Amino acid sequence: MRPTRTPASGVRQTIAVVLPAQLPSPPAWDEGPLPFHHGARRADRPTRSTYFTTAAARVLYGEPERPCRWHRTTTATQGTLTAEGVELLHTPLGNDPHRALAILHVSADGTTLHDFHDTLRALAGRQAAPPSPLTGELHPEQLLQGQARLTTGAAPFTIAFLTPARTRLPHLYPRIYRRRWCPADQWLWALASRTNAVDYPPDTTDIPALTGGTLRLSADWSALVLRDGAAFIGRRRDLGHDDPFFGYAEQLARTVYLDAFLLGTIQHSHIDQLTENLSRVFDGTHLARRVVALEEHIAQFRSTYWRQHLTHHGPANDLLLAYQNQHRLPARFAEILTEATDYARLVQSQESQQISGALGILTILGLPISTALAAQQVLADDNPWHLLAYTSAALATSAALLTTRYGRLVLSALRGHPKQR
């Protein structure tokens, strides 16, 4: 009789769930990000602020007198999942001043690998996945305690961290994928994409491309960033509490590397708003004012939020760039700059035409009148009736000039487009 095998599980299995929310007022929680400990290392606000540039730290943590991030710890449990804490990050937009991000930190100690994978699939809302695990004590509204409300219909962004209890992770996908796909890369793709072979059966010829963007953080672990999720995978056996590295790796994944994704999410929302503003630039009147406001918004975004260099340490920069590339943020922002430049050139051209039209009107009106007055002065004619006659003749000449092609062009340039005045 064969002994029954215990289903494989990971040593460290954590998920950070990022959800858009509305934050009407600062919550009555502790200020700063949720701190995580590993030995003597404490990843709190002061420590994490030294990791990032000053501009990036200001966006992620705020300033002492104006905080933008709060947290609270919790031990809420639902099944095999435990919520260790929840954070709120205020990320206001011009058209949405209460916008925020809610971050739920969940651990799945003791959960089998396949159940851990199914938890991510459930969070993504896959059709064949189990029901959402965020129910009961783990329901986001329960964890937020009424301090914020979630944005309805928004899908979460997830960051999964997994280290194996064995030397190698088991194969996850069918046999046809195994020659081209090592088990670690299978799990990396599955956790980042939150899919399995039923949700999305990859084409075997696309296997190298699926994990081609894998970031080899070191010989011990790797990361993969996709559109709606990211994953960190240990590539060797985790020795547990005595492991010299994976405790530190888990702390990094749940703190500064998470913050890199949060900054990318903030950049994404601002670029979405800029795109929306560009699409409405011709709605209504006062085109020049709209373009000026758009240029001010772009300048503020570039100086405050648009960062591709977060820190002198490489991995956080690489993770942010991977997130930006997945959402085409650099290309989209370049298109925004090009389009805004075209609109500014259009406004400048229209203003130049209107100035030229005004000068043309002054010429058409001023030249006949000044000629008539100069003729009267040369003739030394002080008769007021003659002055009236000279002026009338000059005005008649100006009116006749306005009916010419040049005059019509001058009037058209001065008038401009009715919606763009």
Side-chain angles (χ1 to χ4, degrees), residues 315-358:
N317 296 326
D318 295 336
L319 292 169
L320 176 61
L321 288 173
Y323 179 92
Q324 291 176 345
N325 291 331
Q326 282 291 324
H327 294 269
R328 295 186 63 253
L329 297 187
R332 290 181 61 192
F333 188 50
E335 292 173 359
I336 288 171
L337 292 176
T338 301
E339 196 169 347
T341 301
D342 291 340
Y343 293 155
R345 189 181 301 114
L346 174 62
V347 169
Q348 185 179 10
S349 176
Q350 291 178 349
E351 290 177 346
S352 298
Q353 289 179 1
Q354 291 177 348
I355 292 174
S356 299

Side-chain angles (χ1 to χ4, degrees), residues 66-127:
R66 295 182 62 186
C68 67
R69 194 163 175 178
W70 302 265
H71 74 273
R72 79 175 187 93
T73 57
T74 177
T75 55
T77 301
Q78 183 75 18
T80 59
L81 302 182
T82 300
E84 300 177 342
V86 58
E87 299 181 63
L88 283 170
L89 173 60
H90 188 209
T91 60
L93 294 173
N95 60 356
D96 189 4
H98 301 309
R99 190 181 187 280
L101 294 173
I103 305 102
L104 314 181
H105 294 270
V106 179
S107 63
D109 295 337
T111 304
T112 66
L113 291 176
H114 289 280
D115 287 343
F116 181 64
H117 179 213
D118 284 340
T119 298
L120 287 164
R121 294 177 56 238
L123 290 172
R126 305 302 178 196
Q127 286 188 345

